[in-house]
Amino acid sequence: MTHPVDYAHRERSRFYDELWDFLRIPSVSAKSEHNGDTERAAEWVRAQLSQAGLRTETIATPGHPVVLGEWRDAGPEAPTVLIYGHYDVQPPEPLELWDSPPFEPAIRDGRIYARGSADDKGQLFLHIKALEAHLATRGRLPVNVVVLAEGEEEVGSPNLVPFVKAHRERLAAETVVISDSAMFAPGVPSLLFSLRGLAYFEIHAQGPRSDLHSGAYGGAIPNPANALSRVISTLHDETGRIAIEGFYDDIEPPSPETLEGIRSLPFDAEAYAAQVGTIPAGGESAYSPLERLWTRPSCDVNGMLSGYTGEGAKTVLPANAMAKVSFRLVPGQSPVRVKELLEEHLAKVAPAGVDLTLVELHGGRPWRAKLEGPLFEAASRALERSFGARPVLAGEGGTIPIVGEFEEILGANSLLLGFALPGANMHAPNEWFATDCFERGIDTLIHLYDELAQGGNSG
Amino acid sequence: MTHPVDYAHRERSRFYDELWDFLRIPSVSAKSEHNGDTERAAEWVRAQLSQAGLRTETIATPGHPVVLGEWRDAGPEAPTVLIYGHYDVQPPEPLELWDSPPFEPAIRDGRIYARGSADDKGQLFLHIKALEAHLATRGRLPVNVVVLAEGEEEVGSPNLVPFVKAHRERLAAETVVISDSAMFAPGVPSLLFSLRGLAYFEIHAQGPRSDLHSGAYGGAIPNPANALSRVISTLHDETGRIAIEGFYDDIEPPSPETLEGIRSLPFDAEAYAAQVGTIPAGGESAYSPLERLWTRPSCDVNGMLSGYTGEGAKTVLPANAMAKVSFRLVPGQSPVRVKELLEEHLAKVAPAGVDLTLVELHGGRPWRAKLEGPLFEAASRALERSFGARPVLAGEGGTIPIVGEFEEILGANSLLLGFALPGANMHAPNEWFATDCFERGIDTLIHLYDELAQGGNSG
């Protein structure tokens, strides 16, 4: 009997062809003119799951549909695995910065360039092909499987939590597997030990009733843009520490083992600076860059607007100023508490004559993996078998709010096992996915299902 | 013989009709689609000056034309007065905030509402009618007169200095009279003792090479918007004093008499706050609001832009941030020196990993009137005759760069004698000019020419 991995290697060329078909569909969920394409991507996923041998259903939501694929014949003793991914993609703009068209995949230097190649079509596709390889060779899967592919991840998954709540029983699973993140480095597979949460706000500063002439009023009337700048400057102290009273109080630090793991990872500041275009000098100077990104909260201005921003010199004293300010949170912190603390802080630093208003835009709880136990063991062995190296533990600075929700609603543990590489331009022009990761990713997931069936205890 | 003032009163209704014609022309110099209207306004001024009895000429510039009106038959002993004004207006936008159309004048509550009613068509028109009143009743003017009306004041007068230099002899005058400013209060005529200067910059902060994901990079990569906010916050100390080293060193303070005059003026902080919508808590807390506006420099953010400013939560760590920052300067200070000091300051406060660039946009020197002497005496008496009150000395927080240039190029002294009232919305919707000031303004200028002929020594 052909081993599923051998099957996957033999069928590789067809897999690439199929991936090309998937990547060619411009399923940009944020743009209504692409609604037809987004529906087409959903149907493409459904058909693929069906051809692989799963029972499929496309379920409408108020937005883009959810595609479910189910295979439940592994028996009542076998665990159930929920595989989550998304078939929608970020807008490709600015188009002029792409070296090849975003929806016409091209391989250069061992990389598949296309919008969605890494985030997340390419990684969702790995699961579909791993499932197909099992079913095509053995006629069965080692575990019960529910695949949930949504089409609204890039617009904040507005309909997913209601969907999961409404289908709580059907989605019930011990384990959620998500491949929508990156490896630590080429050849260094990794498992995520945490995700940061998010608390996203707008701060509005209102000074005079309307824009004024900066000559006629400047020096007497408080300027809301100057005031907001001062307010933003109070959010950090000189060492890069967030200077909101009580902000760090609730943090539950990572385990000594996790910290030791992070400190043992190589971090090439020079290469990082070359990639990003500036040195990693942001945030708390008391921590290393990786510790800051993975284990410490952050506070960033995401946008700022006030007064006249066109060409030339307009002498306006603006009536108001706005900043979008977001915080990444670490385990122990919550968006609700951070909002309270920020409100208290703003009340303290509010300048005379300028009204500050806080508007909450978006939140997501941080998540921490249960590192001990069979789940991580299973994933580690699967990765080792395909990459020839034990995975390292890595954090993720970003937020995937649905992970916490899956755990809470379904009572599942999550495994975040991603195959993109750092610098993959996941929300930028020239997004890419390494062909090596694509190929080893399928192998890994084939092994993973086997390992999960053993409860993580096989050798 | 009819006195020119009686003539003006008799002809008042026609003057209003003519002013309406002038205000109806949308001579928005900033917008090329209004080029035809702006030319039409120039021709309207030329025709009016010609009908009043002056020799007129319209002289092309690379932008909008200059209109000259001359009358030189007062004899070689009589002084020559250069009257400067502008026939262009600010854009009327936002249109929806006007209570009546900007180019359809309407009288409500003793105010003429229209774009340009106060700035500066209405005030330029006062001079034309005062000249007409003299010539129509006496067949002559008491002084030699050159009227210079330009059409580019609202776009920074880019062609005026070259024009004045090229026509230096023709424009030669002992006195420049400008009516483009405001009185201290209703019923309180005023003469300007100073104008503030201007130094206008853009500060650009560049962090990473391109926008980054705030989750994946936040806390490691320096954020240029946070950094720029901090830079802006360093421009002032806690007391509102500008915290750039050396910034106040060159200031030549006003005379004790001027300061005493300012301190004797009533300032109703409550009424001011009600008008503006916030308390006068900006600037140096050690000085009164009027002192701050008239005798102290200021520093205001005029515009600020970074990252994502649309609706909702985009988790971007922006590559760059920009602020437009301008300084109002007082006598002794210069835009050139302020730029040097700001450059030194930015070098000191520049944060690690963020590049700051300073771009100079615009500058104008401050101006201080020669308060002693016959010129001020003449103007005081003219104002007293029409308003029944001696003028107070007032400062002006804004900048009229051409004043310093006239004095330097022509060797003239300037008299800034304005008839708008505070809150006239000169660059905002619902600009207005009080009918009382319109009527007394013509009377004042009729008297002024007489007084100037007497060298300020008549009784």
Side-chain angles (χ1 to χ4, degrees), chain A residues 223 230 236 278 282 300 310 312 324 353, chain B residues 220 223 230 236 278 310 312 324 353:
Chain A
N223 182 314
R230 184 167 283 267
H236 290 90
T278 186
D300 275 292
K324 292 180 188 259
Chain B
N223 182 314
R230 183 167 284 268
H236 291 90
T278 186
K324 292 180 188 260

Side-chain angles (χ1 to χ4, degrees), chain A residues 289-443:
Chain A
L290 289 182
E291 282 175 286
R292 278 181 264 148
L293 286 171
W294 295 347
T295 74
R296 302 296 298 174
S298 62
C299 166
D300 275 292
V301 171
N302 307 104
M304 204 159 67
L305 182 63
S306 181
Y308 178 73
T309 58
E311 203 182 330
K314 185 174 176 183
T315 50
V316 61
L317 194 166
N320 42 53
M322 181 280 289
K324 292 180 188 259
V325 177
S326 68
F327 298 83
R328 296 289 166 169
L329 310 179
V330 298
Q333 296 186 296
S334 82
V336 174
R337 181 67 184 139
V338 164
K339 188 189 176 194
E340 291 169 2
L341 295 172
L342 181 58
E343 274 171 342
E344 289 167 17
H345 181 82
L346 293 182
K348 267 184 269 179
V349 300
V354 173
D355 281 332
L356 297 179
T357 313
L358 187 68
V359 179
E360 187 176 14
L361 285 187
H362 196 55
R365 284 178 299 179
W367 168 81
R368 176 169 290 161
K370 285 166 198 66
L371 294 178
E372 58 291 329
L375 192 55
F376 257 64
E377 271 313 302
S380 296
R381 272 198 301 275
L383 284 165
E384 192 170 9
R385 285 169 75 174
S386 49
F387 282 88
R390 288 282 292 179
V392 300
L393 283 180
E396 162 60 48
T399 308
I400 310 180
I402 194 61
V403 175
E405 301 287 349
F406 279 141
E407 298 209 338
E408 179 162 314
I409 302 168
L410 305 177
N413 285 335
S414 302
L415 191 63
L416 272 67
L417 184 66
F419 300 95
L421 286 178
N425 297 323
M426 284 169 72
H427 285 197
N430 297 316
E431 178 178 348
W432 57 271
F433 191 33
T435 53
D436 180 62
C437 294
F438 174 70
E439 294 166 11
R440 290 185 203 263
I442 296 171
D443 296 355

Side-chain angles (χ1 to χ4, degrees), chain B residues 231-246:
Chain B
V231 166
I232 291 169
S233 77
T234 68
L235 297 176
H236 291 90
D237 71 13
E238 298 290 330
T239 70
R241 200 176 149 84
I242 294 167
I244 297 170
E245 204 178 317

Side-chain angles (χ1 to χ4, degrees), chain B residues 266-288:
Chain B
F267 180 80
D268 184 340
E270 236 168 80
Y272 192 79
Q275 180 213 320
V276 172
T278 186
I279 53 172
E284 297 171 276
S285 55
Y287 295 83
S288 75

Side-chain angles (χ1 to χ4, degrees), chain A residues 90 196 198 200 202 206-226 228-230 232-238 272-284 289 292-293 296-318 321-322 324 326 328 352-354 361-362 396-399 422-423 427-428, chain B residues 90 196 198 200 202 206-226 228-230 232-238 272-284 289 292-293 296-318 321-322 324 326 328 352-354 361-362 396-399 422-423 427-428:
Chain A
Q90 279 276 317
R196 291 197 291 189
L198 177 67
Y200 196 121
E202 274 178 12
Q206 175 80 37
R209 193 177 296 116
S210 56
D211 286 0
L212 298 173
H213 190 288
S214 69
Y217 293 89
I221 291 302
N223 182 314
N226 289 72
L228 185 59
S229 297
R230 184 167 283 267
I232 291 168
S233 78
T234 68
L235 297 176
H236 290 90
D237 71 13
E238 298 290 330
Y272 191 78
Q275 178 212 321
V276 172
T278 186
I279 54 173
E284 295 171 277
R292 278 181 264 148
L293 286 171
R296 302 296 298 174
S298 62
C299 166
D300 275 292
V301 171
N302 307 104
M304 204 159 67
L305 182 63
S306 181
Y308 178 73
T309 58
E311 203 182 330
K314 185 174 176 183
T315 50
V316 61
L317 194 166
M322 181 280 289
K324 292 180 188 259
S326 68
R328 296 289 166 169
V354 173
L361 285 187
H362 196 55
E396 162 60 48
T399 308
H427 285 197
Chain B
Q90 280 274 318
R196 291 196 291 190
L198 178 67
Y200 196 120
E202 275 177 12
Q206 176 79 37
R209 191 176 299 114
S210 57
D211 286 359
L212 298 173
H213 190 289
S214 69
Y217 293 90
I221 290 302
N223 182 314
N226 288 71
L228 185 59
S229 297
R230 183 167 284 268
I232 291 169
S233 77
T234 68
L235 297 176
H236 291 90
D237 71 13
E238 298 290 330
Y272 192 79
Q275 180 213 320
V276 172
T278 186
I279 53 172
E284 297 171 276
R292 278 180 263 148
L293 285 170
R296 302 295 299 174
S298 62
C299 166
D300 275 291
V301 172
N302 308 104
M304 205 159 68
L305 182 63
S306 181
Y308 178 72
T309 59
E311 203 183 331
K314 184 172 175 185
T315 50
V316 61
L317 194 165
M322 180 281 289
K324 292 180 188 260
S326 68
R328 295 289 166 169
V354 173
L361 285 188
H362 197 54
E396 162 60 48
T399 308
H427 284 197

Side-chain angles (χ1 to χ4, degrees), chain B residues 84 101-102 133 168 178 248 259 261 315 350 367 384 424:
Chain B
Y84 164 82
R168 186 189 305 260
I178 303 177
Y248 292 97
L259 286 173
T315 50
W367 168 81
E384 193 171 7

